[in-house]
Amino acid sequence: MRHIAIVGSGPAGYYTAEAALKQWGDNVRVDIFDALPVPFGLIRSGVAPDHQSIKGVSRRYEATAKSGNVRFVGNVMLGRDLSVAEMQDLYDAVILATGAPHDRKLGLPGEDLANVFGSAAFVGWYNGHPQFADLAPALSHDTAVVVGNGNVALDVARILAKSEEEFAASDIVAHALAALRGSAVRRIVILGRRGPHQVAMTPKELGELAKLSRAHPEVDPVDLPDPALDARLDTGLRKSVALLRTFASGRAAPGTDAITVEFDFFAAPRAILGDSRVEAVEVERTRLQDGKAVGTGETYRIPAGLVIACIGYQTSPIPDVPFDEQGGRFANVEGRIAPGLYCVGWARRGPTGTIGTNRPDGFAIIEKIAADLPDGSGKPGRPGFDALAEQRGIEVVRFTDWQKIDEAEVAAARSGAPREKFVAVEQMIEASHRG
Ligand code: NAP
């Protein structure tokens, strides 16, 4: 028998559990830990609330969760409730699947002014992550600046631009919906330090900007490279650039245009300006040199009352686990951190790729563990953890408890919405005690 602990119940965690079941069948017991009382990590707290079809992947994780050989162990945080050494004493292998829930810093003067947020915080706010539920961004200025040219920048811009009706079938949380209802934001500027050929935006996500009921995207035609050069791009990027060309031609404008989403390319933020709260962003015009953005010396200011940096994420360090500061992830060689200690998904390779990329990752790490540990080592596994939790008075939330939380959230949904999420840990635990 092998006892495996997976820390993190997002896509990387559940795909790894699925792989462990395939590898060892009834000869494995997997405990999937999560610091929150609710599972599915990025699917619940990261994927945009209006992307419900993507969230449907959690049904696949449910099938894994319901196997008797896999347990959800919620409301337990590694590094707070027990140490890595303690967990390693209990399980043959500990696999960190903690994702990358932490914002990378811009490293600019003024970054700490009020109403400047990283995307982990802002996305966490509208998705009801307990850590960010109280963020209370002020949406009182007519201009918001979104920094970055990836899919998260698109998510954030789209959420700021949508009308209340467009959130009808989403699970955006009530506090965010109320704030957006009263929002004064009418101009959303997406800053890209490089150009249209360097965007990290995928066509489906970019195309959504052209289908909004009261907003339209704008691209300055002078920023577009010679169309003949598009042929060099891979298919996905070529499609994205084709969409940017339609945005520049004005053909994407829908019926109303109360809100503009402006792409400002070759524009690197240099400082966030303001007294206590952001009042403007200082930007330097750039040009490309060997594929990199270099400043031209020309600067300008964008008056703005809200700045959201969507420039990528990092893994949160865990005490006693070697960390690669530059890569923003655990120091590892192909997922191996130390004997018996592994990492997978964004915690291994950084925040890139789609949700599905985590599946091969999960299968690969289980193959490595099978090679490293051909036999179980006789460690205590589940009963050992249960004894420790009891001794420490940790209130563990099981998958059946989550199902009660889930039911309560679904029952509380606004008409047409899939659920109304609890945004505080205490509310989640209270709901898990119902019935
Ligand atoms: P990303 O794709 O890595 O994009 C980050 C962007 O930030 C890049 O445009 C980058 O520009 C820019 N950037 C980085 N540092 C900067 C700085 N100091 N100043 C200005 N710009 C800076 O990251 P992401 O948008 O956070 O997305 C993370 C992953 O999740 C991606 O794989 C993404 O596709 C995925 N995702 C998918 C979906 C979806 O499929 N619906 C939704 C959300 C996220 P450079 O290129 O110049 O470095």
Side-chain angles (χ1 to χ4, degrees), residues 2-38:
R2 271 165 207 76
H3 297 285
I4 309 264
I6 296 174
V7 184
S9 70
Y14 269 106
Y15 284 128
T16 303
E18 184 187 324
L21 287 181
K22 282 239 160 67
Q23 178 76 29
W24 293 297
D26 280 337
N27 293 318
V28 70
R29 296 290 179 274
V30 180
D31 278 359
I32 304 187
F33 290 84
D34 204 295
L36 286 182
V38 291

PDB file of all heavy atoms in Angstrom, residues 2-38:
ATOM      1  N   ARG A   2       0.509   2.205  -0.882  1.00  0.00           N
ATOM      2  CA  ARG A   2       1.216   3.498  -0.878  1.00  0.00           C
ATOM      3  C   ARG A   2       0.281   4.575  -0.327  1.00  0.00           C
ATOM      4  O   ARG A   2      -0.893   4.606  -0.686  1.00  0.00           O
ATOM      5  CB  ARG A   2       1.596   3.897  -2.295  1.00  0.00           C
ATOM      6  CG  ARG A   2       2.910   3.372  -2.712  1.00  0.00           C
ATOM      7  CD  ARG A   2       3.064   3.484  -4.209  1.00  0.00           C
ATOM      8  NE  ARG A   2       3.977   2.463  -4.655  1.00  0.00           N
ATOM      9  CZ  ARG A   2       3.650   1.182  -4.762  1.00  0.00           C
ATOM     10  NH1 ARG A   2       2.422   0.771  -4.480  1.00  0.00           N
ATOM     11  NH2 ARG A   2       4.543   0.297  -5.158  1.00  0.00           N
ATOM     12  N   HIS A   3       0.852   5.450   0.496  1.00  0.00           N
ATOM     13  CA  HIS A   3       0.067   6.569   1.032  1.00  0.00           C
ATOM     14  C   HIS A   3       0.599   7.857   0.412  1.00  0.00           C
ATOM     15  O   HIS A   3       1.770   8.196   0.594  1.00  0.00           O
ATOM     16  CB  HIS A   3       0.194   6.621   2.559  1.00  0.00           C
ATOM     17  CG  HIS A   3      -0.369   5.394   3.215  1.00  0.00           C
ATOM     18  ND1 HIS A   3      -1.725   5.183   3.340  1.00  0.00           N
ATOM     19  CD2 HIS A   3       0.236   4.301   3.746  1.00  0.00           C
ATOM     20  CE1 HIS A   3      -1.935   4.030   3.934  1.00  0.00           C
ATOM     21  NE2 HIS A   3      -0.758   3.465   4.193  1.00  0.00           N
ATOM     22  N   ILE A   4      -0.288   8.544  -0.314  1.00  0.00           N
ATOM     23  CA  ILE A   4       0.143   9.745  -1.039  1.00  0.00           C
ATOM     24  C   ILE A   4      -0.633  10.941  -0.507  1.00  0.00           C
ATOM     25  O   ILE A   4      -1.865  10.883  -0.374  1.00  0.00           O
ATOM     26  CB  ILE A   4      -0.171   9.616  -2.549  1.00  0.00           C
ATOM     27  CG1 ILE A   4       0.371   8.303  -3.116  1.00  0.00           C
ATOM     28  CG2 ILE A   4       0.281  10.836  -3.323  1.00  0.00           C
ATOM     29  CD1 ILE A   4       1.700   8.357  -3.771  1.00  0.00           C
ATOM     30  N   ALA A   5       0.081  12.024  -0.240  1.00  0.00           N
ATOM     31  CA  ALA A   5      -0.579  13.293   0.098  1.00  0.00           C
ATOM     32  C   ALA A   5      -0.403  14.232  -1.083  1.00  0.00           C
ATOM     33  O   ALA A   5       0.722  14.415  -1.566  1.00  0.00           O
ATOM     34  CB  ALA A   5       0.047  13.901   1.344  1.00  0.00           C
ATOM     35  N   ILE A   6      -1.506  14.803  -1.551  1.00  0.00           N
ATOM     36  CA  ILE A   6      -1.441  15.836  -2.586  1.00  0.00           C
ATOM     37  C   ILE A   6      -1.901  17.124  -1.919  1.00  0.00           C
ATOM     38  O   ILE A   6      -2.974  17.154  -1.299  1.00  0.00           O
ATOM     39  CB  ILE A   6      -2.350  15.471  -3.782  1.00  0.00           C
ATOM     40  CG1 ILE A   6      -1.835  14.182  -4.446  1.00  0.00           C
ATOM     41  CG2 ILE A   6      -2.404  16.620  -4.780  1.00  0.00           C
ATOM     42  CD1 ILE A   6      -2.742  13.660  -5.560  1.00  0.00           C
ATOM     43  N   VAL A   7      -1.097  18.160  -2.036  1.00  0.00           N
ATOM     44  CA  VAL A   7      -1.437  19.416  -1.355  1.00  0.00           C
ATOM     45  C   VAL A   7      -1.945  20.397  -2.398  1.00  0.00           C
ATOM     46  O   VAL A   7      -1.175  20.882  -3.231  1.00  0.00           O
ATOM     47  CB  VAL A   7      -0.209  19.977  -0.603  1.00  0.00           C
ATOM     48  CG1 VAL A   7      -0.604  21.234   0.169  1.00  0.00           C
ATOM     49  CG2 VAL A   7       0.368  18.925   0.319  1.00  0.00           C
ATOM     50  N   GLY A   8      -3.250  20.644  -2.379  1.00  0.00           N
ATOM     51  CA  GLY A   8      -3.865  21.511  -3.380  1.00  0.00           C
ATOM     52  C   GLY A   8      -4.889  20.708  -4.159  1.00  0.00           C
ATOM     53  O   GLY A   8      -4.561  19.646  -4.709  1.00  0.00           O
ATOM     54  N   SER A   9      -6.138  21.207  -4.199  1.00  0.00           N
ATOM     55  CA  SER A   9      -7.212  20.426  -4.817  1.00  0.00           C
ATOM     56  C   SER A   9      -7.696  21.060  -6.115  1.00  0.00           C
ATOM     57  O   SER A   9      -8.855  20.922  -6.490  1.00  0.00           O
ATOM     58  CB  SER A   9      -8.366  20.254  -3.838  1.00  0.00           C
ATOM     59  OG  SER A   9      -9.024  21.493  -3.646  1.00  0.00           O
ATOM     60  N   GLY A  10      -6.789  21.764  -6.802  1.00  0.00           N
ATOM     61  CA  GLY A  10      -7.129  22.321  -8.111  1.00  0.00           C
ATOM     62  C   GLY A  10      -6.881  21.283  -9.198  1.00  0.00           C
ATOM     63  O   GLY A  10      -6.714  20.090  -8.915  1.00  0.00           O
ATOM     64  N   PRO A  11      -6.843  21.739 -10.461  1.00  0.00           N
ATOM     65  CA  PRO A  11      -6.657  20.799 -11.567  1.00  0.00           C
ATOM     66  C   PRO A  11      -5.409  19.919 -11.407  1.00  0.00           C
ATOM     67  O   PRO A  11      -5.488  18.700 -11.592  1.00  0.00           O
ATOM     68  CB  PRO A  11      -6.522  21.725 -12.786  1.00  0.00           C
ATOM     69  CG  PRO A  11      -7.269  22.958 -12.398  1.00  0.00           C
ATOM     70  CD  PRO A  11      -7.096  23.113 -10.926  1.00  0.00           C
ATOM     71  N   ALA A  12      -4.276  20.505 -11.038  1.00  0.00           N
ATOM     72  CA  ALA A  12      -3.045  19.698 -10.915  1.00  0.00           C
ATOM     73  C   ALA A  12      -3.233  18.619  -9.854  1.00  0.00           C
ATOM     74  O   ALA A  12      -2.825  17.459 -10.037  1.00  0.00           O
ATOM     75  CB  ALA A  12      -1.856  20.592 -10.567  1.00  0.00           C
ATOM     76  N   GLY A  13      -3.864  18.963  -8.746  1.00  0.00           N
ATOM     77  CA  GLY A  13      -4.072  17.998  -7.663  1.00  0.00           C
ATOM     78  C   GLY A  13      -4.971  16.846  -8.090  1.00  0.00           C
ATOM     79  O   GLY A  13      -4.637  15.669  -7.904  1.00  0.00           O
ATOM     80  N   TYR A  14      -6.103  17.180  -8.705  1.00  0.00           N
ATOM     81  CA  TYR A  14      -7.050  16.110  -9.063  1.00  0.00           C
ATOM     82  C   TYR A  14      -6.555  15.250 -10.224  1.00  0.00           C
ATOM     83  O   TYR A  14      -6.775  14.033 -10.242  1.00  0.00           O
ATOM     84  CB  TYR A  14      -8.457  16.663  -9.303  1.00  0.00           C
ATOM     85  CG  TYR A  14      -9.234  16.634  -8.000  1.00  0.00           C
ATOM     86  CD1 TYR A  14      -9.492  17.787  -7.282  1.00  0.00           C
ATOM     87  CD2 TYR A  14      -9.647  15.420  -7.446  1.00  0.00           C
ATOM     88  CE1 TYR A  14     -10.153  17.752  -6.067  1.00  0.00           C
ATOM     89  CE2 TYR A  14     -10.310  15.368  -6.230  1.00  0.00           C
ATOM     90  CZ  TYR A  14     -10.563  16.528  -5.542  1.00  0.00           C
ATOM     91  OH  TYR A  14     -11.205  16.474  -4.333  1.00  0.00           O
ATOM     92  N   TYR A  15      -5.871  15.862 -11.199  1.00  0.00           N
ATOM     93  CA  TYR A  15      -5.322  15.023 -12.284  1.00  0.00           C
ATOM     94  C   TYR A  15      -4.247  14.077 -11.723  1.00  0.00           C
ATOM     95  O   TYR A  15      -4.117  12.943 -12.172  1.00  0.00           O
ATOM     96  CB  TYR A  15      -4.731  15.882 -13.401  1.00  0.00           C
ATOM     97  CG  TYR A  15      -5.771  16.531 -14.299  1.00  0.00           C
ATOM     98  CD1 TYR A  15      -5.757  17.891 -14.553  1.00  0.00           C
ATOM     99  CD2 TYR A  15      -6.768  15.748 -14.900  1.00  0.00           C
ATOM    100  CE1 TYR A  15      -6.709  18.480 -15.373  1.00  0.00           C
ATOM    101  CE2 TYR A  15      -7.722  16.333 -15.721  1.00  0.00           C
ATOM    102  CZ  TYR A  15      -7.687  17.702 -15.957  1.00  0.00           C
ATOM    103  OH  TYR A  15      -8.632  18.278 -16.762  1.00  0.00           O
ATOM    104  N   THR A  16      -3.494  14.541 -10.740  1.00  0.00           N
ATOM    105  CA  THR A  16      -2.465  13.682 -10.149  1.00  0.00           C
ATOM    106  C   THR A  16      -3.117  12.535  -9.383  1.00  0.00           C
ATOM    107  O   THR A  16      -2.654  11.381  -9.450  1.00  0.00           O
ATOM    108  CB  THR A  16      -1.543  14.522  -9.232  1.00  0.00           C
ATOM    109  OG1 THR A  16      -0.991  15.589 -10.010  1.00  0.00           O
ATOM    110  CG2 THR A  16      -0.409  13.695  -8.657  1.00  0.00           C
ATOM    111  N   ALA A  17      -4.209  12.826  -8.685  1.00  0.00           N
ATOM    112  CA  ALA A  17      -4.928  11.762  -7.967  1.00  0.00           C
ATOM    113  C   ALA A  17      -5.479  10.738  -8.957  1.00  0.00           C
ATOM    114  O   ALA A  17      -5.408   9.525  -8.729  1.00  0.00           O
ATOM    115  CB  ALA A  17      -6.058  12.373  -7.140  1.00  0.00           C
ATOM    116  N   GLU A  18      -6.009  11.259 -10.081  1.00  0.00           N
ATOM    117  CA  GLU A  18      -6.542  10.353 -11.116  1.00  0.00           C
ATOM    118  C   GLU A  18      -5.420   9.434 -11.620  1.00  0.00           C
ATOM    119  O   GLU A  18      -5.615   8.218 -11.770  1.00  0.00           O
ATOM    120  CB  GLU A  18      -7.086  11.221 -12.265  1.00  0.00           C
ATOM    121  CG  GLU A  18      -7.764  10.444 -13.369  1.00  0.00           C
ATOM    122  CD  GLU A  18      -8.116  11.361 -14.571  1.00  0.00           C
ATOM    123  OE1 GLU A  18      -8.472  12.539 -14.379  1.00  0.00           O
ATOM    124  OE2 GLU A  18      -8.027  10.865 -15.698  1.00  0.00           O
ATOM    125  N   ALA A  19      -4.250  10.009 -11.814  1.00  0.00           N
ATOM    126  CA  ALA A  19      -3.106   9.223 -12.296  1.00  0.00           C
ATOM    127  C   ALA A  19      -2.683   8.175 -11.257  1.00  0.00           C
ATOM    128  O   ALA A  19      -2.348   7.039 -11.605  1.00  0.00           O
ATOM    129  CB  ALA A  19      -1.938  10.160 -12.616  1.00  0.00           C
ATOM    130  N   ALA A  20      -2.725   8.553  -9.971  1.00  0.00           N
ATOM    131  CA  ALA A  20      -2.341   7.601  -8.907  1.00  0.00           C
ATOM    132  C   ALA A  20      -3.307   6.422  -8.882  1.00  0.00           C
ATOM    133  O   ALA A  20      -2.895   5.264  -8.727  1.00  0.00           O
ATOM    134  CB  ALA A  20      -2.321   8.317  -7.556  1.00  0.00           C
ATOM    135  N   LEU A  21      -4.598   6.709  -9.102  1.00  0.00           N
ATOM    136  CA  LEU A  21      -5.588   5.621  -9.128  1.00  0.00           C
ATOM    137  C   LEU A  21      -5.327   4.691 -10.309  1.00  0.00           C
ATOM    138  O   LEU A  21      -5.427   3.475 -10.194  1.00  0.00           O
ATOM    139  CB  LEU A  21      -7.009   6.198  -9.233  1.00  0.00           C
ATOM    140  CG  LEU A  21      -7.585   6.858  -7.989  1.00  0.00           C
ATOM    141  CD1 LEU A  21      -8.998   7.356  -8.269  1.00  0.00           C
ATOM    142  CD2 LEU A  21      -7.600   5.886  -6.808  1.00  0.00           C
ATOM    143  N   LYS A  22      -4.992   5.292 -11.448  1.00  0.00           N
ATOM    144  CA  LYS A  22      -4.703   4.471 -12.647  1.00  0.00           C
ATOM    145  C   LYS A  22      -3.467   3.601 -12.402  1.00  0.00           C
ATOM    146  O   LYS A  22      -3.412   2.446 -12.817  1.00  0.00           O
ATOM    147  CB  LYS A  22      -4.441   5.379 -13.855  1.00  0.00           C
ATOM    148  CG  LYS A  22      -5.672   5.946 -14.487  1.00  0.00           C
ATOM    149  CD  LYS A  22      -5.787   5.537 -15.970  1.00  0.00           C
ATOM    150  CE  LYS A  22      -7.215   5.682 -16.466  1.00  0.00           C
ATOM    151  NZ  LYS A  22      -7.662   7.079 -16.515  1.00  0.00           N
ATOM    152  N   GLN A  23      -2.487   4.183 -11.733  1.00  0.00           N
ATOM    153  CA  GLN A  23      -1.211   3.484 -11.522  1.00  0.00           C
ATOM    154  C   GLN A  23      -1.343   2.343 -10.516  1.00  0.00           C
ATOM    155  O   GLN A  23      -0.829   1.253 -10.730  1.00  0.00           O
ATOM    156  CB  GLN A  23      -0.166   4.506 -11.033  1.00  0.00           C
ATOM    157  CG  GLN A  23       1.207   3.939 -10.717  1.00  0.00           C
ATOM    158  CD  GLN A  23       2.010   3.629 -11.977  1.00  0.00           C
ATOM    159  OE1 GLN A  23       1.828   4.267 -13.011  1.00  0.00           O
ATOM    160  NE2 GLN A  23       2.882   2.632 -11.901  1.00  0.00           N
ATOM    161  N   TRP A  24      -2.030   2.598  -9.389  1.00  0.00           N
ATOM    162  CA  TRP A  24      -1.967   1.640  -8.289  1.00  0.00           C
ATOM    163  C   TRP A  24      -3.325   1.054  -7.890  1.00  0.00           C
ATOM    164  O   TRP A  24      -3.381   0.192  -7.012  1.00  0.00           O
ATOM    165  CB  TRP A  24      -1.307   2.287  -7.058  1.00  0.00           C
ATOM    166  CG  TRP A  24       0.140   2.605  -7.261  1.00  0.00           C
ATOM    167  CD1 TRP A  24       1.147   1.714  -7.503  1.00  0.00           C
ATOM    168  CD2 TRP A  24       0.763   3.897  -7.209  1.00  0.00           C
ATOM    169  NE1 TRP A  24       2.356   2.366  -7.627  1.00  0.00           N
ATOM    170  CE2 TRP A  24       2.151   3.717  -7.447  1.00  0.00           C
ATOM    171  CE3 TRP A  24       0.295   5.187  -6.995  1.00  0.00           C
ATOM    172  CZ2 TRP A  24       3.057   4.771  -7.475  1.00  0.00           C
ATOM    173  CZ3 TRP A  24       1.199   6.244  -7.017  1.00  0.00           C
ATOM    174  CH2 TRP A  24       2.557   6.023  -7.255  1.00  0.00           C
ATOM    175  N   GLY A  25      -4.409   1.570  -8.461  1.00  0.00           N
ATOM    176  CA  GLY A  25      -5.734   1.005  -8.164  1.00  0.00           C
ATOM    177  C   GLY A  25      -6.017   0.952  -6.675  1.00  0.00           C
ATOM    178  O   GLY A  25      -5.939   1.964  -5.966  1.00  0.00           O
ATOM    179  N   ASP A  26      -6.326  -0.242  -6.193  1.00  0.00           N
ATOM    180  CA  ASP A  26      -6.675  -0.383  -4.768  1.00  0.00           C
ATOM    181  C   ASP A  26      -5.449  -0.422  -3.862  1.00  0.00           C
ATOM    182  O   ASP A  26      -5.582  -0.553  -2.643  1.00  0.00           O
ATOM    183  CB  ASP A  26      -7.498  -1.671  -4.565  1.00  0.00           C
ATOM    184  CG  ASP A  26      -8.946  -1.437  -4.964  1.00  0.00           C
ATOM    185  OD1 ASP A  26      -9.385  -0.262  -4.962  1.00  0.00           O
ATOM    186  OD2 ASP A  26      -9.628  -2.425  -5.305  1.00  0.00           O
ATOM    187  N   ASN A  27      -4.266  -0.302  -4.461  1.00  0.00           N
ATOM    188  CA  ASN A  27      -3.054  -0.329  -3.631  1.00  0.00           C
ATOM    189  C   ASN A  27      -2.537   1.070  -3.313  1.00  0.00           C
ATOM    190  O   ASN A  27      -1.344   1.257  -3.061  1.00  0.00           O
ATOM    191  CB  ASN A  27      -1.960  -1.129  -4.339  1.00  0.00           C
ATOM    192  CG  ASN A  27      -2.354  -2.585  -4.428  1.00  0.00           C
ATOM    193  OD1 ASN A  27      -2.874  -3.145  -3.453  1.00  0.00           O
ATOM    194  ND2 ASN A  27      -2.161  -3.178  -5.593  1.00  0.00           N
ATOM    195  N   VAL A  28      -3.430   2.053  -3.384  1.00  0.00           N
ATOM    196  CA  VAL A  28      -3.013   3.407  -3.017  1.00  0.00           C
ATOM    197  C   VAL A  28      -4.134   4.084  -2.224  1.00  0.00           C
ATOM    198  O   VAL A  28      -5.322   3.782  -2.411  1.00  0.00           O
ATOM    199  CB  VAL A  28      -2.661   4.250  -4.283  1.00  0.00           C
ATOM    200  CG1 VAL A  28      -3.897   4.596  -5.103  1.00  0.00           C
ATOM    201  CG2 VAL A  28      -1.905   5.519  -3.922  1.00  0.00           C
ATOM    202  N   ARG A  29      -3.742   4.937  -1.304  1.00  0.00           N
ATOM    203  CA  ARG A  29      -4.690   5.823  -0.621  1.00  0.00           C
ATOM    204  C   ARG A  29      -4.155   7.238  -0.819  1.00  0.00           C
ATOM    205  O   ARG A  29      -2.997   7.515  -0.492  1.00  0.00           O
ATOM    206  CB  ARG A  29      -4.759   5.522   0.885  1.00  0.00           C
ATOM    207  CG  ARG A  29      -5.286   4.134   1.214  1.00  0.00           C
ATOM    208  CD  ARG A  29      -6.791   3.994   0.907  1.00  0.00           C
ATOM    209  NE  ARG A  29      -7.254   2.650   1.223  1.00  0.00           N
ATOM    210  CZ  ARG A  29      -7.186   1.607   0.399  1.00  0.00           C
ATOM    211  NH1 ARG A  29      -6.685   1.754  -0.821  1.00  0.00           N
ATOM    212  NH2 ARG A  29      -7.609   0.421   0.774  1.00  0.00           N
ATOM    213  N   VAL A  30      -5.021   8.078  -1.372  1.00  0.00           N
ATOM    214  CA  VAL A  30      -4.605   9.455  -1.667  1.00  0.00           C
ATOM    215  C   VAL A  30      -5.404  10.407  -0.785  1.00  0.00           C
ATOM    216  O   VAL A  30      -6.634  10.335  -0.753  1.00  0.00           O
ATOM    217  CB  VAL A  30      -4.870   9.807  -3.154  1.00  0.00           C
ATOM    218  CG1 VAL A  30      -4.428  11.232  -3.457  1.00  0.00           C
ATOM    219  CG2 VAL A  30      -4.179   8.823  -4.081  1.00  0.00           C
ATOM    220  N   ASP A  31      -4.735  11.291  -0.081  1.00  0.00           N
ATOM    221  CA  ASP A  31      -5.399  12.376   0.640  1.00  0.00           C
ATOM    222  C   ASP A  31      -5.093  13.681  -0.101  1.00  0.00           C
ATOM    223  O   ASP A  31      -3.915  14.027  -0.293  1.00  0.00           O
ATOM    224  CB  ASP A  31      -4.887  12.470   2.086  1.00  0.00           C
ATOM    225  CG  ASP A  31      -5.584  11.459   3.003  1.00  0.00           C
ATOM    226  OD1 ASP A  31      -6.465  10.721   2.523  1.00  0.00           O
ATOM    227  OD2 ASP A  31      -5.224  11.428   4.201  1.00  0.00           O
ATOM    228  N   ILE A  32      -6.148  14.379  -0.526  1.00  0.00           N
ATOM    229  CA  ILE A  32      -5.953  15.668  -1.211  1.00  0.00           C
ATOM    230  C   ILE A  32      -6.277  16.785  -0.226  1.00  0.00           C
ATOM    231  O   ILE A  32      -7.433  16.955   0.182  1.00  0.00           O
ATOM    232  CB  ILE A  32      -6.872  15.807  -2.439  1.00  0.00           C
ATOM    233  CG1 ILE A  32      -6.648  14.625  -3.395  1.00  0.00           C
ATOM    234  CG2 ILE A  32      -6.625  17.125  -3.145  1.00  0.00           C
ATOM    235  CD1 ILE A  32      -7.384  14.772  -4.719  1.00  0.00           C
ATOM    236  N   PHE A  33      -5.257  17.531   0.148  1.00  0.00           N
ATOM    237  CA  PHE A  33      -5.418  18.607   1.141  1.00  0.00           C
ATOM    238  C   PHE A  33      -5.746  19.929   0.451  1.00  0.00           C
ATOM    239  O   PHE A  33      -5.305  20.192  -0.659  1.00  0.00           O
ATOM    240  CB  PHE A  33      -4.116  18.787   1.929  1.00  0.00           C
ATOM    241  CG  PHE A  33      -3.830  17.638   2.858  1.00  0.00           C
ATOM    242  CD1 PHE A  33      -3.193  16.490   2.396  1.00  0.00           C
ATOM    243  CD2 PHE A  33      -4.220  17.693   4.181  1.00  0.00           C
ATOM    244  CE1 PHE A  33      -2.937  15.422   3.250  1.00  0.00           C
ATOM    245  CE2 PHE A  33      -3.971  16.639   5.039  1.00  0.00           C
ATOM    246  CZ  PHE A  33      -3.328  15.502   4.571  1.00  0.00           C
ATOM    247  N   ASP A  34      -6.510  20.752   1.135  1.00  0.00           N
ATOM    248  CA  ASP A  34      -6.706  22.128   0.668  1.00  0.00           C
ATOM    249  C   ASP A  34      -6.807  23.049   1.879  1.00  0.00           C
ATOM    250  O   ASP A  34      -7.421  22.688   2.887  1.00  0.00           O
ATOM    251  CB  ASP A  34      -7.963  22.265  -0.194  1.00  0.00           C
ATOM    252  CG  ASP A  34      -7.856  23.466  -1.124  1.00  0.00           C
ATOM    253  OD1 ASP A  34      -7.810  24.620  -0.625  1.00  0.00           O
ATOM    254  OD2 ASP A  34      -7.755  23.261  -2.352  1.00  0.00           O
ATOM    255  N   ALA A  35      -6.220  24.230   1.759  1.00  0.00           N
ATOM    256  CA  ALA A  35      -6.292  25.194   2.857  1.00  0.00           C
ATOM    257  C   ALA A  35      -7.721  25.694   3.047  1.00  0.00           C
ATOM    258  O   ALA A  35      -8.125  26.050   4.154  1.00  0.00           O
ATOM    259  CB  ALA A  35      -5.359  26.371   2.575  1.00  0.00           C
ATOM    260  N   LEU A  36      -8.511  25.706   1.961  1.00  0.00           N
ATOM    261  CA  LEU A  36      -9.907  26.136   2.052  1.00  0.00           C
ATOM    262  C   LEU A  36     -10.803  24.932   2.339  1.00  0.00           C
ATOM    263  O   LEU A  36     -10.437  23.798   2.026  1.00  0.00           O
ATOM    264  CB  LEU A  36     -10.344  26.785   0.732  1.00  0.00           C
ATOM    265  CG  LEU A  36      -9.814  28.177   0.412  1.00  0.00           C
ATOM    266  CD1 LEU A  36     -10.400  28.651  -0.917  1.00  0.00           C
ATOM    267  CD2 LEU A  36     -10.138  29.176   1.512  1.00  0.00           C
ATOM    268  N   PRO A  37     -12.007  25.181   2.853  1.00  0.00           N
ATOM    269  CA  PRO A  37     -12.941  24.067   3.065  1.00  0.00           C
ATOM    270  C   PRO A  37     -13.596  23.599   1.762  1.00  0.00           C
ATOM    271  O   PRO A  37     -14.406  22.691   1.798  1.00  0.00           O
ATOM    272  CB  PRO A  37     -14.010  24.672   4.004  1.00  0.00           C
ATOM    273  CG  PRO A  37     -13.481  25.987   4.444  1.00  0.00           C
ATOM    274  CD  PRO A  37     -12.503  26.450   3.421  1.00  0.00           C
ATOM    275  N   VAL A  38     -13.277  24.237   0.642  1.00  0.00           N
ATOM    276  CA  VAL A  38     -13.923  23.913  -0.637  1.00  0.00           C
ATOM    277  C   VAL A  38     -12.855  23.486  -1.648  1.00  0.00           C
ATOM    278  O   VAL A  38     -11.746  24.026  -1.635  1.00  0.00           O
ATOM    279  CB  VAL A  38     -14.717  25.125  -1.180  1.00  0.00           C
ATOM    280  CG1 VAL A  38     -15.930  25.397  -0.305  1.00  0.00           C
ATOM    281  CG2 VAL A  38     -13.840  26.367  -1.256  1.00  0.00           C
TER     282      VAL A  38
END
